[in-house]
């Protein structure tokens, strides 16, 4: 398949600042990659901590993530356990190191990361650390890096002041959209009623819009950051 997302046979790594970002932004693409035999890994970078999050909430979200990831065919979930909503106060070198170690251990050929223009600072910092972890001067490094969009984060950036999400790679998810929506619904604690962005209806509408852009029934959009061929 002549596409930077689907070229190659090595592992794929999706960086999720928080549980469910990977499903919101790339769930349909993950399912397609898994169906084609790629080993898809998800790195959930942060973990909720008291007093903002209770142990019950944390455990529930992890159970939901396990079910959603199994539904999409994800090979392994890596919990890095950095503090949620507190990455800006955490030593950035540690985040670089945590993601760097994972990238070296997995040696992915494809990395999907959150967009640097997202309103949540955790997303911005995860993107930067992904680039640090994937620097091409290393002996082995990901040949393809792309940024995905996350409803409720990417759409709330400040126009002209922060980087805009303008996709230049589109993945047809017509055959996997329903699995993406089902996986999202398995994150029951995160699902909201329409017209909230974290609703099934909003996700379907975005997939329809991205698909119509390239004359497909449904698609996910990405910004290609780097492609080495």
């Amino acid at each position: 398949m002549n596409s930077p997302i689907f070229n190659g046979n090595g592992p794929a790594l999706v960086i999720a600042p928080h549980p469910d970002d990977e499903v919101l932004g790339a769930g349909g693409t993950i399912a397609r990659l898994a169906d084609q035999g790629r080993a898809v890994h998800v790195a959930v970078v942060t973990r909720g901590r008291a007093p903002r999050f209770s142990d019950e909430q944390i455990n529930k979200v992890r159970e939901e993530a396990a079910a959603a990831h199994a539904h999409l065919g994800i090979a392994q979930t890596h919990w890095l356990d950095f503090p949620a909503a507190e990455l800006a106060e955490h030593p950035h070198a540690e985040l670089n190191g945590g993601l760097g170690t994972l990238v070296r251990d997995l040696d992915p050929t494809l990395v999907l990361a959150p967009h640097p223009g997202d309103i949540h600072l955790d997303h911005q910092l995860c993107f930067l650390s992904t680039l640090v972890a994937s620097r091409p001067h290393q002996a082995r490094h990901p040949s393809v890096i792309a940024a995905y969009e996350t409803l409720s984060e990417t759409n709330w950036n400040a126009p002209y002041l922060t980087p805009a999400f303008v996709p230049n790679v589109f993945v047809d998810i017509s055959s996997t959209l329903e699995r993406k929506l089902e996986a999202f619904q398995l994150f029951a604690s995160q699902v909201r009623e329409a017209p909230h962005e974290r609703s099934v209806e909003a996700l379907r509408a975005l997939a329809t819009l991205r698909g119509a852009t390239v004359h497909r029934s449904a698609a996910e959009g990405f910004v290609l950051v780097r492609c080495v061929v």
Side-chain angles (χ1 to χ4, degrees):
M1 184 176 296
N2 189 21
S3 162
I5 301 291
F6 291 93
N7 283 344
N9 299 312
L13 174 61
V14 184
I15 308 297
H18 316 101
D20 85 352
D21 288 331
E22 71 288 355
V23 176
L24 291 168
T29 300
I30 288 170
R32 276 196 62 183
L33 288 165
D35 287 350
Q36 293 176 11
R38 293 282 287 275
V40 182
H41 295 254
V42 170
V44 180
V45 176
T46 67
R47 172 190 177 97
R49 297 187 180 183
R52 182 176 288 133
F53 303 96
S54 68
D55 287 343
E56 182 181 2
Q57 288 175 303
I58 295 166
N59 292 334
K60 180 175 179 57
V61 169
R62 290 206 172 198
E63 290 172 0
E64 292 172 346
H69 291 182
H71 194 63
L72 291 176
I74 290 167
Q76 187 173 355
T77 305
H78 306 265
W79 297 89
L80 303 189
D81 289 339
F82 288 94
E86 297 177 11
L87 283 184
E89 290 74 46
H90 196 81
H92 193 60
E94 292 187 15
L95 179 59
N96 291 344
L99 284 174
T101 297
L102 183 61
V103 169
R104 285 191 298 273
D105 289 346
L106 293 179
D107 192 22
T109 55
L110 167 68
V111 172
L112 302 179
H115 188 257
D118 288 2
I119 195 171
H120 202 310
L121 193 53
D122 283 359
H123 287 228
Q124 298 171 29
L125 294 172
C126 285
F127 174 81
L128 292 175
S129 288
T130 298
L131 292 191
V132 171
S134 306
R135 287 180 292 193
H137 64 65
Q138 302 169 104
R140 296 193 296 186
H141 57 85
S143 56
V144 178
I145 302 173
Y148 60 81
E149 66 180 320
T150 309
L151 271 177
S152 77
E153 304 293 355
T154 314
N155 54 301
W156 285 114
N157 67 354
Y160 309 109
L161 300 178
T162 52
F165 184 85
V166 183
N168 54 9
V169 174
F170 297 83
V171 174
D172 186 342
I173 62 167
S174 303
S175 63
T176 56
L177 174 59
E178 295 307 320
R179 266 170 66 197
K180 170 179 178 164
L181 299 180
E182 290 162 1
F184 175 61
Q185 288 175 291
L186 289 170
F187 274 104
S189 65
Q190 308 302 309
V191 177
R192 302 292 182 265
E193 294 294 326
H196 197 286
E197 312 103 313
R198 286 176 178 260
S199 65
V200 172
E201 292 85 351
L203 280 181
R204 186 184 296 278
L206 179 62
T208 301
L209 173 64
R210 295 302 182 206
T213 304
V214 291
H215 202 64
R216 297 293 187 274
S217 297
E220 288 172 335
F222 299 87
V223 175
L224 184 62
V225 177
R226 185 167 71 224
C227 180
V228 181
V229 296

